[in-house]
Amino acid sequence: MNQYEDDKQEYYQSFPQVWPDGTELTVYTTPDNRRTVLKHSSGSHIEFKNDGTVVVKAVKDLHIN
């Protein structure tokens, strides 16, 4: 079972902002599954989940200071 299979997202409750280069900021306001996603045009992204979890996906290198 995938850890995200239980996530029920109602996409009509999302508010995406997409720039011409492919950069995207989306806020999902579905009750019990609120998320904020900042996605770079490279495919790297940061996702802030309802329970406080932060998911970071780096397409190339990930540097943390």
Side-chain angles (χ1 to χ4, degrees), residues 36-60:
T36 302
V37 180
L38 176 60
K39 187 183 297 184
H40 187 266
S41 58
S42 67
S44 295
H45 73 260
I46 300 172
E47 178 178 355
F48 300 90
K49 298 180 75 82
N50 191 48
D51 65 357
T53 300
V54 178
V55 178
V56 178
K57 176 184 176 188
V59 172
K60 194 170 177 189

Side-chain angles (χ1 to χ4, degrees), residues 17-31:
Q17 176 67 49
V18 181
W19 284 265
D21 70 348
T23 301
E24 179 179 335
L25 173 63
T26 305
V27 176
Y28 299 90
T29 61
T30 303

